[in-house]
Amino acid sequence: MASGEREVDESGGPRRAHALARVPRAVSSDPVVRGWAVVAVALTMWELLVAPHERSLITVTWLVQVGFDLVLVASSWRLARRRELGRLTRRFWASVAAGGALFAVGDTVRLVELAVGTGDAALAGGPVQGAFLSAGVFVIVCVLAAHPTELDHREKRRFLLDGTTVMVGATVFAWYFSPGRADGLVNGIVLPALALVAVFAAVKLIMTGHAPFSAAATTAACAATGAFVASIAMEEGTGSSTGLLASALLRITAAALVALVPRIQERCLQTDPAASTRRTRRPYSRLPYLAVGSTQILLVVALADRGLVTRTWGVLAGLLVITALVLARQLVAFNDNVHLLGRLDEAMLETTRQARRFRSMVQHSSDVTVITDARGVVTYVSPAIGAVLGLAPNRVVGHPALDLVHPTDRDEVVGGIRQLELGQHNGRGVVARARHADGSWRWLEVTSTNLLGEPSVDGIVSNARDVTETRQLHDRLRHQASHDGLTRLANRALFDERLERARTATPAVDCPPRVAVIMIDLDGFKSVNDTLGHHVGDVLLVHVAERLRCCVPPDATVARLGGDEFAVLLTGTEHEARGVAERIAEACDAPFEIDGHHVRIGASVGVAAGVAEDPRALVRHADREMYERKRDRKATGRPAT
């Protein structure tokens, strides 16, 4: 009733409040509800103006009740067949339909008794009608009592005290306003007992937030119950024709309100469809407070109206019981508060320990932890950034993280961030260069996770690890695997890879790519090795490689295929390729100065150019032309040294 309760709201708060605000307007504007109001007004005017005979008035009242009972059965059964409602909710409305059917049978029996003249001319029902009424209430009460609440041990204890407080208050009111006589076992004992059980079951579901009916439907049912009780008190308390007329009007009002309950529930579901699955539990219930206040007011009224009579003493006794229950409830709440405060202290200590542990891990980690907001601005960076990039954390916080990224790598980093914001590739890794404080660039392997939806973080968390040495080693190994160790030119594997890439390159529209292959074989290189030694031969190959680089365009690939054989792959026409080949031949014909030796060699060059559909065919053509040139040079007797 006070503290210790939880609030469970599975809906969106503002949207739910907006939907509930539309419920009263939707109910009042419903044509069925308006039609009910017209019928009630018409019956009231008829009974007031026409003023029929007493027996006719009673007969018409029971006839109207039978009609309303049938409406209750039909509308409740329609709710029970709605598939979007839960199984337990449909079961409850099916029980209401069954109870309404029993009400209709009992009211029909009472109507027949009045019609044939076998029953007393009174609004009170006979034993048969009372039995059917009790049976109908019993069916509904059983389903209400069996409806689950999903309460734990502490919640059950709090509910028991709160529910008992409400029940004692309801019992006090029922006892104080009850008629002086009991009309048989059913009307005097069974019905009041079932009514109290029904109130207890309904209170249980309302207080625990698991009621299968809406607040508007509950209000209508409570108003119907109040009207029914008032009608009994009015009829038996006055005994006059005016009292009989008022009692009849109250009975009709009660029957009309009961018949309207399913329609009100259906209208609420139309206005707020999620109401059938929502479970809302308030942090406390107002019903016990209402029971305490109402009983206190009743005691004041009883003292002023009747003095210290038996009924007043009963109200006073009930108030004492309620006060004791409230005190017990407060003691339970205080005990729960102590328990919760103890758990809260333990949780706070554990949170503090975890925070210290996390802070220690982050501060002493060699990896850099960075948090950026939705705009990409750094909101936190760990001290490890000083060891990795030579920067102080305060120089980075408040600035865009992309300011540290190499311009060439920014597109890839931005693409990864966009995928993270879309909820894709969480934990995605990217390798990019970041600027060091000394102006150099360091390779960082960054793994990012999108935690923008976490209120405690509200950002993208990235962990960066320095992989500069690994990257440099990887680049060296890759270069060694694709380049000649002596001349630093591309080797045969890289040359073949570039050939395949030229073949698979996407051609421009109506302009297929044209490539050229130049094959080069040195003349007289073996003689240099034999006469001057392999050392001079190696140096000669290095000088030849330098001259080849100077003769070709920047985008061409120069490769050493093995021994003294070289190749060039470039784009362009055959005319352009032959110009490059002539420059290569002239460069190789020029003498080389190596360790005081004046070395002269030559080069046999073959050229082939064409569309890059089959570059290997171009290699074969260029190789064939190169060997033809070599035979021609040998035939001319050109000296090798």
Side-chain angles (χ1 to χ4, degrees):
M1 188 167 62
S3 59
E5 286 84 347
R6 300 173 301 174
E7 182 171 3
V8 179
D9 192 349
E10 300 175 3
S11 65
R15 182 177 299 177
R16 175 180 178 269
H18 181 67
L20 291 181
R22 299 196 306 265
V23 169
R25 184 170 61 253
V27 172
S28 61
S29 62
D30 184 49
V32 177
V33 175
R34 291 183 175 181
W36 243 241
V38 171
V39 171
V41 171
L43 289 173
T44 302
M45 295 300 296
W46 179 83
E47 292 189 348
L48 290 176
L49 297 178
V50 177
H53 187 268
E54 178 177 313
R55 191 177 187 89
S56 300
L57 175 63
I58 295 173
T59 303
V60 170
T61 301
W62 283 104
L63 178 62
V64 172
Q65 285 190 200
V66 171
F68 284 144
D69 291 339
L70 296 177
V71 173
L72 174 65
V73 173
S75 54
S76 299
W77 182 248
R78 185 167 63 179
L79 269 177
R81 296 183 62 185
R82 295 186 62 160
R83 293 299 179 186
E84 69 271 19
L85 300 180
R87 179 181 60 84
L88 297 176
T89 302
R90 295 200 306 270
R91 186 183 69 177
F92 167 75
W93 288 107
S95 71
V96 174
L102 292 172
F103 298 160
V105 173
D107 293 347
T108 302
V109 170
R110 180 58 176 157
L111 180 62
V112 172
E113 290 176 352
L114 291 172
V116 299
T118 59
D120 296 335
L123 287 175
V128 177
Q129 189 272 342
F132 277 100
L133 179 61
S134 300
V137 174
F138 180 77
V139 170
I140 300 174
V141 167
C142 288
V143 176
L144 275 176
H147 200 83
T149 57
E150 301 176 3
L151 299 178
D152 58 23
H153 174 70
R154 293 181 179 274
E155 290 173 331
K156 288 180 179 179
R157 184 176 59 182
R158 292 194 297 266
F159 161 73
L160 181 61
L161 291 171
D162 290 344
T164 304
T165 302
V166 176
M167 289 305 302
V168 171
T171 304
V172 168
F173 271 82
W175 180 80
Y176 184 80
F177 289 104
S178 63
R181 63 180 180 84
D183 188 11
L185 178 64
V186 173
N187 292 334
I189 298 177
V190 177
L191 273 179
L194 287 176
L196 288 177
V197 175
V199 171
F200 182 80
V203 167
K204 176 190 73 171
L205 297 179
I206 294 171
M207 292 176 62
T208 57
H210 290 79
F213 38 78
S214 63
T218 304
T219 302
C222 292
T225 303
F228 181 75
V229 173
S231 70
I232 297 176
M234 186 66 67
E235 179 188 13
E236 299 188 1
T238 62
S240 63
S241 59
T242 303
L244 180 63
L245 179 61
S247 178
L249 292 176
L250 288 172
R251 277 184 174 269
I252 292 176
T253 302
L257 288 174
V258 170
L260 266 181
V261 168
R263 178 60 185 179
I264 293 175
Q265 178 68 20
E266 187 174 9
R267 193 63 173 166
C268 292
L269 291 175
Q270 293 173 356
T271 306
D272 185 14
S276 61
T277 57
R278 183 185 298 116
R279 295 292 178 261
T280 303
R281 189 178 307 159
R282 296 181 181 274
Y284 64 92
S285 175
R286 299 186 181 94
L287 290 177
Y289 294 103
L290 180 62
V292 173
S294 301
T295 307
Q296 291 175 344
I297 294 174
L298 179 62
L299 178 61
V300 174
V301 173
L303 287 173
D305 184 34
R306 302 190 181 188
L308 285 175
V309 296
T310 303
R311 294 195 180 230
T312 307
W313 282 109
V315 175
L316 180 59
L319 183 58
L320 291 176
V321 173
I322 290 176
T323 303
L325 290 171
V326 170
L327 290 176
R329 180 63 177 88
Q330 290 302 319
L331 291 175
V332 170
F334 292 150
N335 183 55
D336 289 344
N337 285 343
V338 172
H339 177 74
L340 290 175
L341 287 174
R343 292 178 57 186
L344 180 61
D345 291 340
E346 294 177 0
M348 292 294 293
L349 289 175
E350 180 63 24
T351 302
T352 302
R353 286 195 293 266
Q354 291 181 358
R356 290 176 179 173
R357 188 183 305 117
F358 172 76
R359 189 181 303 112
S360 177
M361 292 173 57
V362 170
Q363 289 179 348
H364 296 89
S365 174
S366 60
D367 294 349
V368 181
T369 301
V370 181
I371 301 178
T372 56
D373 60 16
R375 300 175 299 163
V377 177
V378 178
T379 58
Y380 171 82
V381 62
S382 64
I385 195 171
V388 176
L389 297 179
L391 298 172
N394 57 5
R395 292 183 56 188
V396 180
V397 175
H399 299 277
L402 287 178
D403 289 351
L404 299 174
V405 181
H406 193 282
T408 307
D409 302 333
R410 288 181 181 176
D411 290 341
E412 183 178 0
V413 174
V414 171
I417 293 175
R418 288 177 178 173
Q419 289 181 339
L420 285 174
E421 291 175 347
L422 294 174
Q424 302 173 354
H425 302 292
N426 237 11
R428 179 180 184 271
V430 63
V431 178
R433 285 164 289 182
R435 186 178 65 252
H436 194 272
D438 60 9
S440 62
W441 296 95
R442 301 296 175 90
W443 285 97
L444 301 180
E445 183 180 57
V446 185
T447 303
S448 301
T449 303
N450 185 0
L451 296 179
L452 287 170
E454 292 289 338
S456 59
V457 180
D458 191 23
I460 294 177
V461 180
S462 302
N463 295 309
R465 183 166 60 95
D466 189 355
V467 293
T468 302
E469 295 182 359
T470 303
R471 181 75 182 211
Q472 291 173 348
L473 176 61
H474 177 267
D475 291 342
R476 286 197 301 270
L477 293 175
R478 184 173 58 181
H479 187 273
Q480 292 173 3
S482 59
H483 289 76
D484 178 57
L486 177 64
T487 63
R488 303 298 182 186
L489 296 177
N491 59 15
R492 182 180 291 275
L494 181 58
F495 184 78
D496 291 341
E497 179 184 335
R498 298 284 174 82
L499 277 175
E500 182 65 20
R501 189 182 304 173
R503 184 185 69 83
T504 58
T506 303
V509 179
D510 298 331
C511 185
R514 300 182 64 85
V515 297
V517 176
I518 302 175
M519 302 297 293
I520 306 159
D521 188 81
L522 300 182
D523 297 330
F525 177 75
K526 183 176 182 302
S527 176
V528 173
N529 270 341
D530 293 341
T531 58
L532 300 179
H534 290 284
H535 170 69
V536 175
D538 290 343
V539 175
L540 176 61
L541 290 175
V542 173
H543 286 306
V544 170
E546 293 176 354
R547 292 187 182 185
L548 290 178
R549 290 192 188 96
C550 296
C551 294
V552 301
D555 60 343
T557 299
V558 183
R560 182 189 177 197
L561 303 183
D564 60 349
E565 186 177 358
F566 298 84
V568 177
L569 175 66
L570 67 159
T571 59
T573 62
E574 183 177 355
H575 176 73
E576 295 170 341
R578 292 199 177 277
V580 174
E582 291 177 3
R583 291 196 296 272
I584 291 174
E586 292 175 0
C588 292
D589 287 341
F592 296 88
E593 293 292 334
I594 304 174
D595 293 341
H597 298 283
H598 188 73
V599 179
R600 290 184 62 88
I601 61 172
S604 299
V605 182
V607 179
V611 179
E613 294 179 354
D614 189 4
R616 298 199 176 277
L618 299 179
V619 172
R620 291 192 296 271
H621 294 325
D623 198 55
R624 188 182 306 114
E625 183 176 315
M626 179 196 70
Y627 280 109
E628 291 176 357
R629 294 289 180 88
K630 198 172 193 63
R631 286 195 300 269
D632 294 341
R633 291 175 68 85
K634 287 182 178 180
T636 59
R638 181 183 179 85
T641 60

